[in-house]
Each structure stands twice: as C-alpha cells, then as structure tokens.
Amino acid sequence: MKEFAFYPGCSSEKNASASNMENSVHHMCEMLGVKLKEIDDWNCCSASIGYAGGGHLPRLALTARNFALSKQQMGDSPVVASCAACWLALRETNERMHEEPGVKENLNTALKEAGLSYDGKLEVKHLVELLVDDAYVGFDALKAKVTKPLTGVKMAGYVGCQTNRPFGIAGDNYENPEYLDRMIEACGATAVPFPKKVACCGGALAFSENEKSCDLIKDILQSAVDNGAEVIVTPCPVCQLNVEVYQEKVNKLFGTNFAIPVVYYSQLFVLAWGGGWKKAALDQQVVPADVLKKFA
Amino acid sequence: MAYDLSFAKEVYKTSEVGYWIKMCMQCGVCAGSCPLGPHWEHSPRQLFQLVRAGKMEEVLKSDSMWMCTSCYNCIVRCPRGLPITHIVHGLARLAVEKGMADPKQPTRRFAVEVFWDNITSTGRVGEAGLTMKLYFIDGIGPGIQRGLEMKNQALGMLKTKRLNPIPFRSKIKGFAGFKAMLDKAFELEAKKESNA
Ligand code: SF4
Ligand code: SF4
C-alpha cells in the first residue's frame, strides 16, 4: 500500500495523554502494512475550543498550514488523522475554503507570511476510514489477521461525537453508527447494545466545567455497565481520556464504584492479532484492562 | 421599546457565519440536542431569536454559548441546515471581542487565557503546562488545592507515561512563519469586522 501523510496531533505526542493511542496505532499500522509518514513540523489544530481565542480565520489558518506542509512534503497524498478533533479540523477547513466566499483567498494571504500556500484540495481520511474500506484494508482483512480472538469479552463501542458528527465515517449514520461494533466483533469480542454510543463526554469542557461533564460521563459509564460491558472501546482521544481518568471523580461525586477500562480500537486489534500487551500499549491504561490480560 | 436591529445587523455581517441566523425557524430541535442543555441560560434557538430582536446584552453577556461542548448534534439535526455549532462559537468570540463575556466564565478563561496562549506560544499543546496554568489561574492557594484534588488522576497519567513531568515544550521549527501567519490572519479578520 502507498504511504499516507499523517497528522498525529498534540495528544499523540510522546508522553501526551493519548500516547497509548499513538503507540498502538503505530503497531497496528505496522502489522497491517499501512505506512503513515508524519508531516514534519505540524502545528496544533486548536481542537474544539480554538474559536474563543482564534476566532474564524486564525483558527482555520492553523489547519491550512498543516495542509500546506503536507502538500509540500507528500504531494497529493491524502492526509490521515487518528484524532477525532484533528480530523474534524482538516475536514472543516477544506469545506469552508470551498463553500465560504473569501476564506480560501484570506487563508492564502495569511499562509504567504509563512512562505506557504494551499488550494483546499487534499483528500482527508480518518484512520478508521482506511480500516473499514475494502479499497484500503476492509473488515475481511481485519478479521483474517486475528490469532487471539477476544472471545467472551463484552464491550461497549463508544463512538462519541467528533468521529461521528458532523462529517461521519463514510457510509455510516449519525444516530447509530455501526463501524465500531463491527470492529469489536471482528476482534472476536461481543459488542453489547449501548444507548450512549454517540453521547457527549463533555469534550474540552471536562477541563473548565468538570462537574457538569462528570455528570455526562457518569451516564455513559452507567449505560455501559447496565448493558453488561466489561470494557469500553473508543476511537476518540478526548472520549478515552475523559471517560477513563474521571472515573474516580465520578465515584466521589455520585457514590458510584466504576472501574471499567476504556481502550482504543487500535489496542484491540494489536492484541487480537497477537501483538501482545506492550505493543497494544495496554500498559498505559490508568484503569487497568485486566480482563484482557489473558489474550496478551 | 422599539426594536433596535443594529445588533442583528452586526451579527449577520461580522459574527462567524452569523448571517445564517436569519434562516432559523424556531423549531427547537437544537435546544433539545445540547448535552449540557439544562445549564444553558438561553438555548441556541433562544439565542438566535434574541439576536433577531436586537438584544445584544442578553446574548453576549449570557454564559450560554460557553456551555457548548462542540458535540455537533445540532448541526446534523437542524432541519434548516444552520451550522449552529459555528454560529454559537461565533457569538462567544464576538462576546470576547466586545469585552462583554464574563471574565470569570470558566470556559472563556480556559479557552482564551490558557489554551489559545498555550498553543500559539510554541505551535503545539503542552499538556503539562496547560494543566498547571489552569490550576493556578486563581493564584497559588486555589492552585494547590485543585492540584491536590486531581492528584490521583495526575499520578495515574504520569505512571502510564501519558503526562510529561516537565512542563516545557520547545517551539516548532517554523515558529517565526507560524506567528507571522497568525498575525496576518488576525489582521484580515479585524478588517472584515470594520467593514461592517
Ligand atoms: S434546529 Fe435549526 S431551525 Fe430549529 S431552532 Fe435550532 S437553529 Fe432554528
Ligand atoms: S454543538 Fe454546541 S450548540 Fe450544538 S448541540 Fe452541541 S453543545 Fe449544543
């Protein structure tokens, strides 16, 4: 398979909050033969709260610079992102360059100051889109690699917001996307019904409105547990972080006793493909995923 | 009191995609979609009607917009196709620009004083520095207290190598160009506003 330009984003850096995602993604892609080449010198996309300090153009300029660097370094290669917010920023910037009058011109005026330019035409893919699409990988190939099926483990597929809305994973629907459940099943595990599948964890507001967000997180955890899940699986670094690390706080606030592991789809694949505990970055869980130990 | 439409006109012209507000049919689908709905003083639907009625203070001083989690429920559901998330973000930004947002509003503070500063001073998020600054925004005392409350989470993140113990990050290589690009983007953005 050809090489793709890769935009990992800030949370996937070494020693950052989603380094467990990045480490498992790295090994997952290696095992699949998908080559991702990091865009050199990329900058932050400003995620979902960049609007307050960066407004409209400066916020979009951040992402336009990443595209321009990608184009310079990797030509017409699609830009692949593993982070929900990064992917959304890339898709949004392209869309607004095309649909809103003046945006493309203004962004290029700003980019010129950095000696760069961008025409808004690079294709954008979420890593998940490569996995579920037969043209690249596809479910059959994902299943064929399984050597240690995660048989008997019940999992809640937590898609969350930004891997789902507003752009969606190609061909799936907003209110009940199915790709994540299919990934869980492809690993040999059982996907339980999960009414909070596309509910919001509070996103960046978990920082600034922590207790209000913990209320949302509690409902997500409760729904997973009520439906028999032993593990929550997600593609999103914000969902993973919020739903995992605030369990203790939720327990304190609401008198609950949640201790349910929250892992990335990429960790499941590496494990089910026989990659072992460390390559799956399962040693990087704050709530230990002991129920998966026997597959390591 | 007669309606004063100057605020509505200003929003249509200068607030990010604010002109879309004209298209709202007040169905309330968005109002039922916000995850923190009960905490919104005015729902998106109400905000849009207040804009149309020229109620600048009620809109810009409200902390409603700051309750937006960017979940994008509203965007995929609005029957009139309004880009609601961006409109709400635009109104929040307008409140910042006009100095009307409550300085104590926690999300405003986090987003403007901590986050934007953090990413634009180096080009990338420094998570450790971000967390520290957020904790200590009210000074040392409350900072230590907040730090203690979150001690176990922070330790868990450190132990699993998901938090950098050193709250320092170096600038991206192209920082000078990055900075010049942002300065220009802000200049263009201001021009758009003064055209109003
Ligand atoms: S969903 Fe759309 S049309 Fe309905 S009230 Fe909200 S913005 Fe207006
Ligand atoms: S994106 Fe914001 S305005 Fe829209 S439903 Fe979510 S919280 Fe409400």
Side-chain angles (χ1 to χ4, degrees), chain B residues 24-30 45 48 78-80 82 84:
Chain B
C24 171
M25 65 179 184
Q26 292 289 300
C27 70
V29 166
C30 53
R45 177 191 72 77
F48 301 162
C78 173
R80 300 298 299 264
L82 273 76
I84 302 171

Side-chain angles (χ1 to χ4, degrees), chain A residues 51-58, chain B residues 10 14-16 60 66 89-101 108 112 185-186 188-194:
Chain A
Y51 66 84
H56 181 205
L57 279 177
Chain B
E10 182 182 356
T14 70
S15 189
E16 182 172 345
L60 297 186
W66 301 103
H89 291 176
L91 291 173
R93 174 68 187 161
L94 188 63
V96 171
E97 276 164 355
K98 287 183 160 296
M100 290 175 74
R108 188 210 64 80
V112 180
F186 274 114
L188 293 168
E189 183 114 313
K191 221 179 261 166
K192 193 184 76 185
E193 271 146 30
S194 59

Side-chain angles (χ1 to χ4, degrees), chain B residues 33-35 40 44 67-74 84-85 88:
Chain B
S33 296
C34 300
W40 288 61
M67 294 296 152
C68 173
T69 62
S70 306
C71 73
Y72 294 85
N73 267 325
C74 52
I84 302 171
T85 316
V88 169

